Amino acid sequence: MTTQALGFRRSPVAWIGGIAVAIVAWFAIYRQLEDFSRAAVARMPIPQGSALASSIEFFLYDTPKVLMLLALVVFTMGVVRTFFSPEHTRAMLAGKREGLGNIAAAGLGVFTPFCSCSAVPLFVGFVSAGVPLGVTFSFLIAAPMINEVALGLLFALVGWRVALTYLAFGLAVAIVSGWVIGRLHLEGWLEEWVRDVRAGDIDLQPDQTSWVDRFEAGWNAVKEIVGKVWYWIIAGIAAGAFIHGYVPAELLSWIMGADAWWSVPAAVALGIPMYSNAAGIIPVVEALLGKGMALGTVLAFMMSVIALSLPEMIILRKVLSLKLIAVFVAVVACGILAVGFLFNALFS
Amino acid sequence: MKDIKVLGPGCARCKTTEEMVKAEAAKLGIEVAVEKITDYEAIAKFGVISTPGIVIDGKVVHAGGLPKTDDLQRWLQA
């Protein structure tokens, strides 16, 4: 690459101009999606108004819509996250007391970036730097549950009311669960070496990140996350399209409607062994809601899939005893159940 | 001889980071001994909580995500 091209890529003006053009193009395309899918289905040799036509239309409309929204949200969050680092977060939380500490931890969990292979170093680093165990858990619960992909897609597909309530109740579950775990004083149930290690001090460098760096981070996040989840999304939308076209609404609202009290615990139990990311689950949720599934049941299912995943527990087993993992699952599951029942009572 | 430690449990990014360090050092003609630290306890003792991390001559210079090439060169030449 020539230095000239490199200079252009590193210029803030070029980035801002490029982003402006991309946003205009984004909205222009986005507005055409519905007409496009309808026109495409009309040209196919299938009966209009049939279940098949309805399924295909849903699929053709939702796939580009979801991918475009995802790119937008991931880019924005990628830029926002350059303002937070796990090391700074830890410094902010160290010495915070329970209560306020749980609230701060849950909030920071939403924005602090870390990849799943960092979950253990992060946990150890927090605990060994004097962040209380319950506060650490608030962070660890909020981080995956309220991820930017889940929130952004929910916002766009199911509406802002549901997105905001998900945010509020997700934070509440993280805060209360962490607080409860803290009150139980289970420090003794950590693996022994975790209790003994004392974290070294790290010199926190003053932040020298430029806006070009931040934009680049956003773009890299788009490439990485969309590249990783696109097949989940397509699978999720295909399942959603099938539900939309073929599954009778009476059946679903009978199984998962607000009247069936057992639907919430069933949804939570079903969600724990399932491992998917939000990207695959939300298109299914969109279709299920349209068929009369109760909102509380849907939210409980989503929270359970995202926050209580078996692979993460296996990773955490390196630092937590089985007893402590069991307490973690039980406390979070209770919180999710409460959210599910509350919502079904409020919104039915 | 610079003593370099790459901290990371063994995810793809940690391996890429190790390769980047070796490649940049070779390009600059700097002699380095690169060691991979995968033990969680050892990683925690450096105070690094987001991996991959890079330690040069006992000093943490980087934590979290892939390092940038120009940063790497700067650290190696320091």
Side-chain angles (χ1 to χ4, degrees):
Chain A
M1 191 181 298
T2 65
T3 46
Q4 203 182 358
L6 197 66
F8 184 69
R9 264 185 44 192
R10 298 285 305 170
S11 132
V13 180
W15 267 98
I16 291 166
I19 291 170
V21 171
I23 288 175
V24 171
W26 192 98
F27 277 102
I29 296 171
Y30 192 83
R31 291 179 52 172
Q32 301 300 317
L33 290 178
E34 203 164 354
D35 293 339
F36 164 80
S37 75
R38 207 171 294 135
V41 172
R43 284 164 166 270
M44 290 176 191
I46 46 174
Q48 294 303 303
S50 66
L52 182 62
S54 163
S55 282
I56 294 179
E57 200 178 306
F58 184 94
F59 184 79
L60 285 183
Y61 173 52
D62 253 30
T63 307
K65 179 170 108 171
V66 170
L67 289 173
M68 286 175 72
L69 282 164
L70 187 67
L72 189 70
V73 172
V74 168
F75 179 81
T76 311
M77 280 301 281
V79 173
V80 170
R81 287 190 156 179
T82 60
F83 291 93
F84 297 84
S85 83
E87 283 75 14
H88 281 100
T89 299
R90 179 182 62 175
M92 273 186 262
L93 290 178
K96 274 257 167 33
R97 262 185 302 186
E98 287 167 355
L100 268 183
N102 294 97
I103 296 169
L108 287 165
V110 177
F111 293 111
T112 306
F114 71 92
C115 74
S116 59
C117 71
S118 279
V120 169
L122 199 84
F123 185 91
V124 176
F126 273 43
V127 172
S128 63
V131 179
L133 187 61
V135 174
T136 304
F137 266 110
S138 281
F139 180 87
L140 270 187
I141 297 166
M145 184 145 74
I146 311 171
N147 85 5
E148 72 274 23
V149 179
L151 207 57
L153 291 183
L154 217 47
F155 202 100
L157 290 176
V158 209
W160 63 271
R161 273 200 200 93
V162 175
L164 281 187
T165 42
Y166 184 81
L167 173 68
F169 282 81
L171 282 172
V173 168
I175 292 165
V176 174
S177 302
W179 186 77
V180 169
I181 291 173
R183 297 317 300 159
L184 293 174
H185 296 294
L186 305 175
E187 283 77 6
W189 290 5
L190 291 168
E191 291 292 300
E192 206 168 315
W193 68 267
V194 178
R195 268 177 288 157
D196 296 339
V197 67
R198 288 254 73 82
D201 274 331
I202 177 168
D203 291 335
L204 290 178
Q205 305 280 326
D207 194 8
Q208 292 178 332
T209 316
S210 71
W211 274 100
V212 172
D213 291 333
R214 300 190 197 282
F215 290 142
E216 272 182 0
W219 176 237
N220 287 336
V222 170
K223 282 192 291 189
E224 193 176 320
I225 293 179
V226 177
K228 208 161 56 187
V229 302
W230 66 270
Y231 41 88
W232 281 100
I233 292 181
I234 293 188
I237 296 171
F242 176 80
I243 294 168
H244 182 78
Y246 289 93
V247 176
E250 306 78 54
L251 178 72
L252 268 172
S253 58
W254 178 65
I255 301 177
M256 300 193 246
D259 298 333
W261 68 267
W262 41 268
S263 69
V264 176
V268 173
L270 199 66
I272 295 175
M274 277 185 71
Y275 179 63
S276 168
N277 37 52
I281 286 296
I282 291 167
V284 177
V285 162
E286 183 196 10
L288 288 175
L289 276 176
K291 290 282 177 173
M293 183 173 176
L295 187 55
T297 309
V298 172
L299 289 180
F301 178 65
M302 276 185 59
M303 287 181 169
S304 154
V305 169
I306 299 171
L308 293 173
S309 79
L310 274 180
E312 176 162 324
M313 286 174 218
I314 291 167
I315 295 176
L316 284 178
R317 177 66 192 89
K318 296 211 166 90
V319 279
L320 309 181
S321 66
L322 268 181
K323 281 191 289 186
L324 190 46
I325 292 184
V327 170
F328 165 69
V329 172
V331 170
V332 176
C334 286
I336 296 174
L337 282 178
V339 170
F341 283 125
L342 195 64
F343 263 75
N344 281 351
L346 288 176
F347 289 91
S348 63
Chain B
M1 178 82 104
K2 275 192 188 304
D3 167 46
I4 299 180
K5 295 183 175 69
V6 175
L7 316 178
C11 54
R13 283 186 210 212
C14 311
K15 286 183 195 117
T16 313
T17 303
E18 187 183 3
E19 282 155 23
M20 283 174 75
V21 170
K22 284 180 178 161
E24 286 309 314
K27 213 190 286 174
L28 296 170
I30 297 171
E31 245 190 284
V32 290
V34 181
E35 189 189 350
K36 188 85 192 307
I37 308 268
T38 54
D39 179 47
Y40 289 119
E41 194 174 339
I43 294 174
K45 281 187 176 145
F46 279 106
V48 166
I49 51 180
S50 48
T51 55
I54 300 176
V55 180
I56 298 183
D57 291 334
K59 195 169 174 300
V60 178
V61 294
H62 173 78
L66 291 177
K68 281 196 293 256
T69 320
D70 20 343
D71 283 340
L72 251 182
Q73 292 181 351
R74 195 159 46 79
W75 299 326
L76 285 168
Q77 282 164 334

